């Protein structure tokens, strides 16, 4: 047996309930009943907390991957710059124009190669095994 109860809703909320009822092809009463049952359910907050925990765990893992990738990128760039500065002698003034032209040509080739790798879904960071990055910092000093 069901008892009747009159409740008053703000027009915006009633419009949302009506729209959902029309979309799902169920009665407004069924929607309100489900909402009240969910609100009164003792395990409702536990389910929400579990859902939030799963989302936070997923976000934490994503942040750890981003942190790892950013660290790898910064180290790779730093090592490259150090190496390049060490092995590249300064150019005499008369050779700089030719070197700049060759540099533009090489850079265009680099950008094309990078574009092809990205289109294929290839990533340098994915080629580096996880365990290499997780080595303790004191091993680097050896």
């Amino acid at each position: 047996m069901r008892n009747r109860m009159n409740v008053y809703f703000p027009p915006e909320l009633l419009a949302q309930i009506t729209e959902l009822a029309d979309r799902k092809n169920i009665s407004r009463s069924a929607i309100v009943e489900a909402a009240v049952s969910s609100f009164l359910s003792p395990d409702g907050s536990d389910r929400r907390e579990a859902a939030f925990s799963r989302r936070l765990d997923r976000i934490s893992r994503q942040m750890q991957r981003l942190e790892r990738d950013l660290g790898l990128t910064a180290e790779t760039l730093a090592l490259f710059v150090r190496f390049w500065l060490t092995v590249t002698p300064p150019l005499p003034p008369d050779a700089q124009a030719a070197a700049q032209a060759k540099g533009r040509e090489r850079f265009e080739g680099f950008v094309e190669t990078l574009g092809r790798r990205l289109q294929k879904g290839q990533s340098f960071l994915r080629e580096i095994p996880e365990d290499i990055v997780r080595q303790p910092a004191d091993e680097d000093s050896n």
Side-chain angles (χ1 to χ4, degrees), residues 65-128:
R65 282 192 301 270
L66 284 172
E67 185 177 313
R68 170 191 175 263
D69 291 354
L70 182 59
L72 282 170
T73 302
E75 278 301 310
T76 302
L77 179 61
L79 287 172
F80 171 77
V81 169
R82 179 180 288 166
F83 175 77
W84 186 83
L85 291 173
T86 302
V87 300
T88 305
L91 294 174
D94 59 333
Q96 287 185 359
Q100 287 175 350
K102 190 61 164 175
R104 279 191 293 275
E105 179 184 326
R106 287 179 173 175
F107 184 74
E108 288 172 6
F110 166 77
V111 170
E112 287 175 18
T113 302
L114 178 64
R116 282 193 303 273
R117 283 181 61 92
L118 292 175
Q119 283 178 342
K120 292 178 182 176
Q122 294 174 324
S123 168
F124 171 72
L125 294 174
R126 286 192 208 121
E127 295 173 6
I128 299 173

Side-chain angles (χ1 to χ4, degrees), residues 4-57:
R4 181 179 182 92
M5 179 180 184
N6 293 324
V7 293
Y8 298 94
F9 293 110
E12 308 84 37
L13 183 58
L14 185 59
Q16 287 178 323
I17 293 169
T18 302
E19 189 272 327
L20 181 61
D22 292 344
R23 192 167 20 105
K24 299 269 187 181
N25 199 24
I26 56 177
S27 69
R28 294 186 301 180
S29 294
I31 292 171
V32 173
E33 181 180 345
V36 171
S37 293
S38 175
F39 183 80
L40 295 176
S41 171
D43 63 338
S45 62
D46 292 339
R47 283 194 310 248
R48 280 191 298 276
E49 184 177 336
F52 281 129
S53 293
R54 285 191 303 273
R55 288 179 189 144
L56 285 173
D57 288 345

